[in-house]
């Protein structure tokens, strides 16, 4: 039993689940992290993981994202930090980017407008010929994270604080005692007793809540992330261009995604996915065109699956009012807010005091509406 007597089962082995579990254990809760497969095998394993608050977001969401960036900088500064986290900026160009630059200036978000001829000197590894004549938007304080390495470090923190980890447990089901949670049942039938359950199962969250009579609108889409082998490139920033997004990866390669490529992914009825060779080849071709020297790129691997997206686009975080002891973490911005969301959720669970930073993101906003 943890120091505060609270038994918590956290279901989900991505950044949201492991962050919440590690923060709970640090606060003295008796925590068991349960995953259906291996760690980071879901959305966290196929995310571009661009750390930013570059969109035209409502103030509460922008504030949460900015706190998320701050927590990453603090985490990366740890003496024993092993996760791959970098803050070498983000560069964007294309339709609407000039308007985004003006909006960012009004809210004080770090931003600069670069002329095409300035890009090569400010953002190494980019082919200036790919930049439009009007120039590009540089956000010097943005970055990226390799989520699998972060998840691994968070699990080490969890275990060091006395938490337990059960991987490959299959699809888990909630165990209830009346209108409260009583634990989690694994696919093999084992029951893990718990006073609190946190659902952080990515795209599966809306379906699990629907089984409990709780409606959370679902905008989940397909996701495709292509990884290259190591290559000779100088890119350090995150690139977001009209046809491809590119960032460096640990080991010397790059990772790529694009909205058009995700739309070409075909989901089968059995839960598997089909990715055309032409889609991967197109992504590699588009990435080569924006990298300095236009290197010949090949694919080392492809990550394909579902991308968790709440129906209104904003995070769903906090207690589920209809079921006592049940909390949820469901968001498209898991990379950027992963650390701060875990911290805020854990503090609420342990203290029982709602945090106003989460007020705009609670699950009951949909029933209130």
């Amino acid at each position: 039993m943890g120091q505060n007597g609270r038994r918590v089962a956290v279901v989900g082995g991505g950044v949201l689940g492991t962050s919440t579990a590690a923060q709970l254990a640090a606060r003295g809760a008796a925590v068991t992290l349960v995953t259906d497969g291996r760690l980071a095998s879901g959305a966290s394993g196929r995310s571009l993981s661009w750390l930013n608050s570059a969109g035209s977001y409502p103030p509460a969401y922008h504030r949460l994202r900015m706190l998320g960036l701050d927590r990453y900088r603090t985490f990366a500064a740890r003496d024993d930090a092993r996760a791959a986290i970098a803050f070498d900026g983000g560069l964007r160009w294309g339709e609407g980017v000039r308007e985004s630059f003006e909006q960012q200036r009004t809210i004080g978000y770090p931003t600069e407008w670069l002329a095409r001829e300035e890009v090569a000197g400010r953002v190494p590894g980019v082919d200036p010929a790919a930049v439009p004549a009007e120039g590009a938007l540089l956000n010097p304080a943005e970055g990226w994270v390799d989520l699998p390495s972060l998840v691994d470090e968070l699990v080490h923190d969890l275990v060091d604080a006395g938490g337990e980890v059960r991987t490959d447990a299959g699809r888990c089901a909630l165990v209830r005692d009346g209108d409260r949670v009583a634990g989690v049942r694994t696919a093999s039938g084992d029951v893990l007793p718990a006073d609190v359950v946190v659902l952080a199962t990515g795209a599966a969250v809306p379906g699990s809540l629907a089984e409990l009579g709780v409606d959370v609108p679902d905008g989940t889409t397909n996701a495709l992330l292509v990884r290259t082998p190591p290559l000779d490139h100088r890119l350090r920033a995150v690139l977001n261009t009209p046809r491809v997004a590119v960032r460096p990866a640990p080991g010397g390669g790059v990772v790529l995604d694009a909205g058009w490529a995700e739309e070409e992914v075909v989901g089968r009825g059995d839960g598997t996915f089909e990715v055309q060779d032409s889609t991967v080849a197109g992504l590699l071709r588009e990435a080569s065109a924006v990298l300095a020297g236009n290197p010949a790129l090949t694919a080392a691997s492809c990550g394909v699956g579902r991308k968790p997206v709440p129906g209104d686009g904003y995070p769903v975080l906090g207690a589920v009012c209809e079921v006592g002891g049940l909390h949820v973490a469901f968001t498209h911005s898991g990379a950027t807010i992963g650390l701060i969301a875990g911290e805020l959720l854990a503090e609420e669970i342990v203290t029982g005091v709602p945090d106003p930073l989460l007020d705009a993101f609670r699950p009951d906003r949909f029933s209130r509406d």
Side-chain angles (χ1 to χ4, degrees):
M1 185 71 69
Q3 295 175 7
N4 65 17
R6 203 48 90 80
R7 301 172 301 174
V8 186
V10 179
V11 187
V15 62
L16 289 169
T18 55
S19 173
T20 304
Q23 290 283 346
L24 283 162
R27 287 161 172 76
V31 184
T32 301
L33 177 71
V34 191
T35 74
D36 61 348
R38 57 183 175 81
L39 294 165
S41 61
S44 290
R46 50 179 177 267
S47 168
L48 188 75
S49 308
W50 171 32
L51 303 178
N52 76 94
S53 189
S56 182
Y57 299 125
Y61 191 29
H62 177 64
R63 181 166 58 248
L64 188 67
R65 294 179 72 105
M66 293 299 288
L67 288 170
L69 299 182
D70 174 75
R71 294 305 190 271
Y72 272 103
R73 294 187 179 94
T74 301
F75 195 92
R78 303 189 333 173
D79 291 338
D80 59 345
R82 298 181 299 277
I85 301 169
F87 282 96
D88 292 310
L91 187 72
R92 289 194 290 154
W93 65 78
E95 184 179 356
V97 172
R98 187 76 198 194
E99 290 79 4
S100 182
F101 168 68
E102 299 297 341
Q103 182 268 335
Q104 289 175 7
R105 291 176 64 188
T106 66
I107 62 173
Y109 189 68
T111 186
E112 302 176 43
W113 191 262
L114 300 184
R116 176 194 281 166
E117 58 270 19
E118 296 177 298
V119 168
R122 295 294 305 279
V123 189
V126 178
D127 184 355
V131 179
E134 68 169 349
L137 185 160
L138 173 66
N139 296 119
E142 293 180 351
W144 59 271
V145 57
D146 175 65
L147 287 180
S149 67
L150 176 65
V151 164
D152 182 66
E153 188 164 348
L154 289 169
V155 169
H156 276 90
D157 290 348
L158 167 64
V159 174
D160 286 347
E164 299 181 10
V165 180
R166 292 188 58 167
T167 59
D168 299 308
R171 189 179 188 278
C172 296
L174 192 69
V175 178
R176 298 174 63 176
D177 181 5
D179 60 358
R180 288 197 58 83
V181 299
V184 170
R185 180 178 291 106
T186 69
S188 65
D190 293 342
V191 174
L192 308 177
D195 307 300
V196 174
V197 173
V198 181
L199 280 183
T201 52
V205 165
S208 297
L209 292 179
E211 294 173 2
L212 302 172
V214 179
D215 178 38
V216 169
D218 187 11
T220 292
T221 65
N222 292 334
L224 173 65
L225 189 78
V226 173
R227 304 172 181 85
T228 75
L231 68 142
D232 184 17
H233 72 86
R234 299 176 58 216
L235 184 67
R236 298 175 63 187
V238 180
L239 301 185
N240 280 278
T241 79
R243 292 289 294 174
V244 69
V246 189
R247 70 153 170 86
V254 293
V255 296
L256 333 165
D257 75 4
W260 64 264
E262 293 172 350
E263 292 174 2
E264 292 185 3
V265 173
V266 176
R268 301 190 183 99
D270 61 358
T272 61
F273 299 86
E274 179 181 352
V275 180
Q276 299 291 334
D277 291 343
S278 59
T279 301
V280 176
L283 269 177
L284 295 168
R285 185 170 56 250
E286 298 288 353
S288 174
V290 301
L291 293 176
N294 307 128
L297 301 179
T298 59
S301 65
C302 298
V304 61
R306 301 289 281 162
K307 178 191 297 183
V309 183
D312 63 359
Y314 301 116
V316 182
L317 302 167
V320 176
C321 296
E322 292 86 345
V323 184
L326 180 62
H327 298 251
V328 67
F330 173 52
T331 179
H332 172 46
S333 52
T336 296
I337 70 169
L339 294 180
I340 185 64
E343 176 184 321
L344 297 176
L345 288 170
E347 188 69 10
E348 282 198 350
I349 291 167
V350 169
T351 66
V353 179
D355 193 309
L357 288 169
L358 294 181
D359 283 351
F361 311 109
R362 301 196 182 280
D364 68 353
R365 70 180 185 267
F366 302 109
S367 58
R368 291 199 307 266
D369 293 342

